[in-house]
Amino acid sequence: MAEVAVMIFANADLVLPETVLRGALTVEAGRITDIRAGADVPAGALDCGGDLLMPGLIELHTDNLERHIEPRPKVGWPHEVAILAHDAELAGCGITTVFDALRVGSIPSRTKGNYGEYARALADEILGLRASGVLKISHYLHLRAEICSETLEAELDKFGPQDRVGIVSLMDHTPGQRQFRDLTQLRHYLMGKYGFTEAEFAAHVADRRALSARVGALHEAAAVAAARRMGAHIASHDDTLAADVAQSAAHGAGFAEFPTTLEAAAACHAQGIAVMMGAPNLIRGGSHSGNVAAAALAEAGLLDILSSDYIPAALLQAALRLGALWGDLSRGVATVTAAPAAAVGLADRGRLATGLRADLIRVARHGDTPLMRGTWVLGARVA
């Protein structure tokens, strides 16, 4: 990706870490070199006309690539084309850094509700396209370690420090706990997706619980060890009880993906664990799974990071909505820029500050709806 030598964004509302300032920002050789106040437009500068100029968005957990690879149930799509479409969609939504979520840990032996291995091969394709220079934005990997599975250790062993794995999240979907503590929600999901009968559902629950009892503790320890071996950050997932959070803290989790209760979110903050919630939850006014509402955590001061989860365009919209809720646009934008950057140790991006990467987005607004006007990565326009 070619960098632009010098570029000035003028007459913009700059979303800085502590305030919003009408001013100009200068980019040289892919870095921010100057920020100054004023509405003047120097010769050759891009006149932003009062639009917002903010850091590029940072996405830590997205299932969006899966939608491109399998656009309909059991309908596969060529992976290279899918990855490029996913990359372009994110750029168009203002996301300049993404941690592509790939499941590791499969259950190939079951005849219904089974799923196989795919992460290593898909990771090779993502990393290969990155190395070729054809991707628009910055891609890292996020391994979703499925604790209740048959093959987790073997799949994790195929990844190493060279693979840009920035996150390993500990996913435990054993029926009766965390996301599936309410078996009614699990029943609806499995009957809707796989056509389970009541008897098949009961057998599934018994089977998964037995599998978890046999390998759960071993797999959890293996995932934590693998994260440390790869130099990745550990995230918990669907913490529900304070006891879940205590276990996450013992593993060294730095942030919690989608805690399902107010109790768990409060316990995370008490342990110094950042709380990440889904942008669709905030925009829709609640969780589609019946879990705690993101807005409730925001109002309680317990929401730190947003993830688009399965709707890339939701990330920017939700950040602006949080800014309105808190009466602080900078704070809202930080949940999709500075806070996720800090959670995964990316000190070179996520803020408008001199010396940092010129990953930038220009945003207008139509009422409460954001209108993307441009995305730049290292000063080069990508969308």
Side-chain angles (χ1 to χ4, degrees):
M1 184 185 301
E3 296 176 1
V4 175
V6 179
M7 184 174 184
I8 300 174
F9 297 83
N11 191 26
D13 276 350
L14 306 175
V15 184
L16 302 174
E18 302 295 335
T19 189
V20 179
L21 172 74
R22 179 61 61 91
L25 179 147
T26 301
V27 173
E28 297 184 46
R31 298 280 166 170
I32 300 169
T33 58
D34 186 60
I35 296 173
R36 62 184 62 192
D40 59 304
V41 181
L46 173 63
D47 184 353
C48 293
D51 289 345
L52 298 172
L53 189 70
M54 62 181 72
L57 312 184
I58 298 172
E59 174 58 75
L60 301 186
H61 176 123
T62 174
D63 302 331
N64 189 60
L65 179 55
E66 296 178 2
R67 179 174 62 84
H68 284 278
I69 287 171
E70 190 177 337
R72 292 286 187 273
K74 298 183 180 180
V75 175
W77 200 248
H79 284 186
E80 182 169 301
V81 175
I83 294 166
L84 291 173
H86 161 69
D87 174 67
E89 181 181 2
L90 297 190
C93 293
I95 296 168
T96 55
T97 299
V98 63
F99 287 72
D100 290 313
L102 308 176
R103 173 186 46 77
V104 284
S106 306
I107 302 183
S109 70
R110 306 311 193 258
T111 57
K112 200 165 190 177
N114 64 332
Y115 45 88
E117 178 181 354
Y118 73 97
R120 179 67 263 181
L122 186 56
D124 287 339
E125 292 174 299
I126 295 169
L127 296 174
L129 288 171
R130 176 185 175 274
S132 71
V134 300
L135 297 178
K136 295 175 179 291
I137 70 172
S138 183
H139 287 254
Y140 293 84
L141 301 183
H142 170 171
L143 298 184
R144 303 168 68 226
E146 186 54 67
I147 304 303
C148 186
S149 68
E150 297 171 336
T151 65
L152 180 59
E153 288 183 279
E155 292 191 41
L156 285 170
D157 285 345
K158 296 178 182 180
F159 289 87
Q162 74 282 0
D163 287 315
R164 289 176 69 85
V165 178
I167 302 168
V168 173
S169 57
L170 309 179
M171 318 274 292
D172 191 347
H173 291 112
T174 303
Q177 64 182 38
R178 296 182 182 261
Q179 181 181 0
F180 294 136
R181 181 172 61 165
D182 181 355
L183 290 180
T184 301
Q185 292 286 343
L186 180 60
R187 179 185 285 106
H188 290 160
Y189 172 75
L190 292 176
M191 289 183 174
K193 184 171 184 178
Y194 297 111
F196 275 42
T197 65
E198 285 290 350
E200 287 172 331
F201 174 73
H204 171 88
V205 170
D207 175 75
R208 292 297 195 268
R209 285 176 168 172
L211 177 62
S212 179
R214 189 168 70 251
V215 303
L218 178 66
H219 279 181
E220 195 161 327
V224 171
R228 292 172 179 161
R229 172 175 58 81
M230 290 182 275
H233 295 264
I234 296 171
S236 66
H237 191 83
D238 292 336
D239 288 336
T240 299
L241 306 172
D244 298 331
V245 177
Q247 187 175 13
S248 300
H251 291 321
F255 66 99
E257 298 184 325
F258 320 129
T260 66
T261 62
L262 181 64
E263 172 191 350
C268 284
H269 269 216
Q271 293 277 8
I273 298 173
V275 170
M276 183 172 85
M277 293 296 286
N281 180 321
L282 185 75
I283 292 169
R284 295 179 67 253
S287 164
H288 71 277
S289 301
N291 298 323
V292 68
L297 298 188
E299 291 165 355
L302 296 173
L303 195 162
D304 305 295
I305 302 169
L306 285 172
S307 161
S308 69
D309 197 4
Y310 54 94
I311 304 177
L315 198 59
L316 176 59
Q317 184 180 359
L320 297 185
R321 187 166 295 187
L322 275 183
L325 174 67
W326 287 330
D328 185 341
L329 179 59
S330 293
R331 182 183 174 193
V333 168
T335 64
V336 296
T337 56
V344 291
L346 293 178
D348 63 346
R349 68 197 75 186
R351 294 170 290 123
L352 297 188
T354 56
L356 298 193
R357 286 172 58 110
D359 292 353
L360 308 167
I361 60 173
R362 176 185 171 188
V363 180
R365 284 181 281 190
H366 179 70
D368 294 332
T369 302
L371 302 175
M372 284 297 306
R373 296 300 194 201
T375 303
W376 290 261
V377 172
L378 287 171
R381 187 162 188 171
V382 297

